[in-house]
Amino acid sequence: MAKITRRSFVGIMAASTTALSMPSIAFGALPRVVVIGGGAGGATAAKYIAKDSKGAVDVTLVEASKRYYTCFFSNLYLGDFRNYGSIGHNYYGLAVNHGVNMVHEWASSVNSAEKKVYLGSGATVSYDKLVISPGIDLKFNSVNGYSPEAQSIMPHAWKSGTQVQLLKNQVKGMKKGGTFVMVPPPNPYRCPPGPYERISMIAHQFKKTNPTAKIVVLDPKNKFSKQGLFMEGWQKHYPGMIEWISADTHGGIKKINTSTMEFETDLDTFKADAASVIPAQQAGRIAMNAGVNKGDWCPIVPASMQSQADENIYVLGDASIAKSMPKSGFSANSQAKVAANHIRGSLTGSKVFTPRFANTCWSLVATNDGIKVGANYDAKPDKINKTSGFISKTGEDSNLRKATYEESIGWYSGITSDMFS
Amino acid sequence: MKSKFVFFSIIILLLFSNKILADDKALAGADFEYGQHLSGECVTCHNSTGLGQGIPKITGMKTAVFIKKILAYKTKEKDNAVMQMVADRLGEEEINSLALYLSKTK
Ligand SMILES: Cc1cc2nc3c(=O)[nH]c(=O)nc-3n(C[C@H](O)[C@H](O)[C@H](O)COP(=O)(O)OP(=O)(O)OC[C@H]3O[C@@H](n4cnc5c(N)ncnc54)[C@H](O)[C@@H]3O)c2cc1C
């Protein structure tokens, strides 16, 4: 008797449910969904379409990398609360448990008239519905003097990959009592509290190994997410270490010089011993290629996450204009479920439920000092509309802050297993 | 061999749907498929393995226990900003559908 492997078992199950419940399409080709980008938005969408359609929809996920390192919790890696391996995930679960076809290649272009995606290898895949969730690209020239070459000297570490390891090495190797300069991005950008959590984690690292070090933050903004909470935490845990300078105070970053490590502003020229520069951002290039952008980002229909430019294309996550939701992994995961339900409904006639969106972002300020902000949203014709929300309060007791941190660990485990298993 | 498999599947399905019908009477407006759909929102935090530190497992919970716990957040009797917000927008139909689905899920 032939040995039934897990993979062939999944195949048999899928085939028999198709034959039982979908006799009409068993004779023709299955409807095809192609998803570009296997991150928070794309992996979730691919999984839910495949899982819930039980073989009635053919799902292909085009993702350049074999391993996805989450940007979420990469700050905790900087602060030594996680090791790098623990934030890396593979796609076996999607293939084996849900029958998603994994294609590890770059999608190089989209022909929306012919409904085809061209891959780096020259192959093409056809779709009935296309999901685009490519995350962000960086606008290097938004900071005068920054460039793709400069990213190895002043890492942005704002995309998945090895940048964050580089940054950590530079933080740990910085000279005793030196100055770390950080340039956060202008709005809108992925993960609004992210740069400030990063500052907290670098300060945490310095406090242990380089306590006389200084951190200067040259912000292109005058305020930022969870500002009161971060400022309170910095004062409490890292007194005198962090100097945050608003745009109005420094008057704008005129130029940075990666060989002298100087940052020129109206206020002063700051000299760094190590630095991180996070430039302005835009939707991943493939979205522009597909023609679903309007300027830097992609407008969507709030009820379904369909592109306003093409009803057969859905744009998820950071690349979309999902106002009033922030660009976060949680948001992308939530949007993916709305899109998956809508796509399946339009391809198989399954029930389409009223869209509901949510987001919560936790940040770690210091050991056992977690803070959070979150909101619920519904779909209005012109925007994703915030219906209720909460934010941690200043002066909260340490037990609550510890519980909040523990929740974030639970969430990380939850969202990554939701995406990948 | 295959027809036997189909036969047993049908029997199991019938038993299963009878069970659902029985619970349906007790839980006003409860719909298994709606509960499954809604649970997508929960699993972003509630790991299906229940192993996630800081966030308890919610699958396999008895319907009455589940409803009691959700209502405690909804009425703000129990304090947790995240869960109060989650419970805030769940109406009776949503709570009952989730109760039905989660009680039948490992
Ligand atoms: C430091 C930091 C901390 C963060 N912390 C949090 C947090 O605590 N909570 C939270 O919710 N969010 C957090 N975020 C934000 C979160 O990482 C993003 O919002 C989220 O990943 C967006 O999901 P996405 O699907 O839009 O893009 P991504 O997750 O970036 O996925 C895009 C994927 O598409 C692939 N891709 C792109 N173009 C192509 C192509 N042409 N062909 C093939 N593959 C392609 C990429 O390889 C990538 O894997 C953080 C971000 C940063 C930088």
Side-chain angles (χ1 to χ4, degrees), chain A residues 71-319:
Chain A
C71 286
F72 28 110
F73 272 26
S74 66
N75 286 328
L76 272 63
Y77 158 73
L78 284 178
D80 283 338
F81 292 92
R82 298 290 283 220
N83 62 50
Y84 194 61
S86 79
I87 59 171
H89 306 270
N90 65 52
Y91 295 91
Y92 301 144
L94 293 185
V96 172
N97 301 335
H98 307 292
V100 173
N101 309 307
M102 287 306 310
V103 175
H104 289 294
E105 281 199 55
W106 273 99
S108 49
S109 63
V110 173
N111 182 332
S112 55
E114 290 178 14
K115 299 212 235 169
K116 280 195 175 109
V117 177
Y118 291 81
L119 304 178
S121 63
T124 59
V125 243
S126 306
Y127 64 84
D128 295 302
K129 302 286 174 195
L130 175 65
V131 177
I132 302 185
S133 193
I136 55 157
D137 268 323
L138 298 163
K139 298 171 81 169
F140 286 97
N141 59 11
S142 66
V143 181
N144 186 14
Y146 200 59
S147 65
E149 296 72 48
Q151 69 183 331
S152 58
I153 302 163
M154 301 177 174
H156 53 80
W158 218 244
K159 292 178 69 159
S160 175
T162 53
Q163 276 268 303
V164 65
Q165 290 168 298
L166 189 66
L167 175 60
K168 187 167 181 174
N169 285 337
Q170 296 186 358
V171 168
K172 289 193 128 172
M174 194 178 86
K175 82 167 192 217
K176 297 288 170 251
T179 300
F180 187 93
V181 174
M182 163 99 179
V183 178
N187 290 321
Y189 62 96
R190 78 167 14 162
C191 197
Y196 309 96
E197 182 183 52
R198 173 176 291 176
I199 291 159
S200 309
M201 290 296 97
I202 292 174
H204 174 77
Q205 196 55 264
F206 285 153
K207 190 177 172 180
K208 284 190 295 183
T209 56
N210 191 353
T212 53
K214 292 267 176 291
I215 301 174
V216 173
V217 186
L218 299 173
D219 209 316
K221 307 182 290 296
N222 285 318
K223 55 181 189 173
F224 60 88
S225 170
K226 305 191 224 181
Q227 184 165 353
L229 293 161
F230 277 114
M231 294 279 202
E232 179 194 52
W234 294 346
Q235 190 65 41
K236 178 174 172 196
H237 301 290
Y238 319 112
M241 186 184 277
I242 302 167
E243 189 184 0
W244 177 77
I245 307 177
S246 73
D248 282 353
T249 310
H250 63 65
I253 300 162
K254 298 292 172 270
K255 192 174 171 27
I256 65 174
N257 184 329
T258 49
S259 35
T260 60
M261 298 292 281
E262 282 176 342
F263 294 72
E264 221 177 276
T265 71
D266 281 348
L267 180 68
D268 205 347
T269 294
F270 297 85
K271 191 162 168 31
D273 297 292
S276 173
V277 173
I278 309 166
Q281 295 154 33
Q282 62 186 23
R285 215 162 288 126
I286 193 73
M288 317 301 187
N289 182 281
V292 290
N293 64 306
K294 192 170 166 187
D296 286 343
W297 309 101
C298 307
I300 47 89
V301 178
S304 61
M305 299 304 294
Q306 275 161 303
S307 160
Q308 287 182 10
D310 185 332
E311 62 170 16
N312 294 313
I313 301 182
Y314 294 70
V315 186
L316 306 179
D318 293 350

Side-chain angles (χ1 to χ4, degrees), chain A residues 326-357:
Chain A
K327 297 185 188 302
S328 76
F330 199 124
S331 295
N333 171 272
S334 172
Q335 293 158 10
K337 288 166 189 170
V338 169
N341 182 241
H342 193 269
I343 290 170
R344 204 162 56 85
S346 61
L347 295 176
T348 69
S350 66
K351 199 159 173 184
V352 179
F353 296 99
T354 309
R356 315 152 64 86
F357 301 93

Side-chain angles (χ1 to χ4, degrees), chain B:
Chain B
M1 167 76 182
K2 180 152 184 215
S3 65
K4 229 183 198 168
F5 172 74
V6 172
F7 178 70
F8 280 122
S9 310
I10 290 170
I11 296 285
I12 288 166
L13 276 174
L14 284 175
L15 289 172
F16 198 51
S17 51
N18 266 341
K19 185 93 179 69
I20 292 174
L21 285 178
D23 279 351
D24 245 353
K25 285 192 196 114
L27 295 171
D31 177 79
F32 186 84
E33 194 190 349
Y34 189 35
Q36 176 173 26
H37 173 74
L38 289 171
S39 76
E41 181 182 332
C42 320
V43 294
T44 306
C45 295
H46 290 275
N47 195 332
S48 41
T49 63
L51 296 176
Q53 189 187 338
I55 304 187
K57 174 180 150 103
I58 53 170
T59 47
M61 210 179 257
K62 289 212 164 59
T63 55
V65 175
F66 173 80
I67 292 170
K68 195 165 166 240
K69 289 195 167 181
I70 283 292
L71 290 178
Y73 294 115
K74 200 172 164 66
T75 58
K76 317 248 185 271
E77 179 195 317
K78 193 154 185 220
D79 220 6
N80 181 278
V82 165
M83 273 313 296
Q84 286 183 353
M85 183 179 78
V86 168
D88 187 48
R89 72 167 161 183
L90 298 174
E92 191 188 11
E93 189 189 345
E94 280 86 18
I95 294 175
N96 288 351
S97 298
L98 278 162
L100 178 62
Y101 171 74
L102 292 170
S103 70
K104 306 218 177 295
T105 307
K106 280 216 181 77

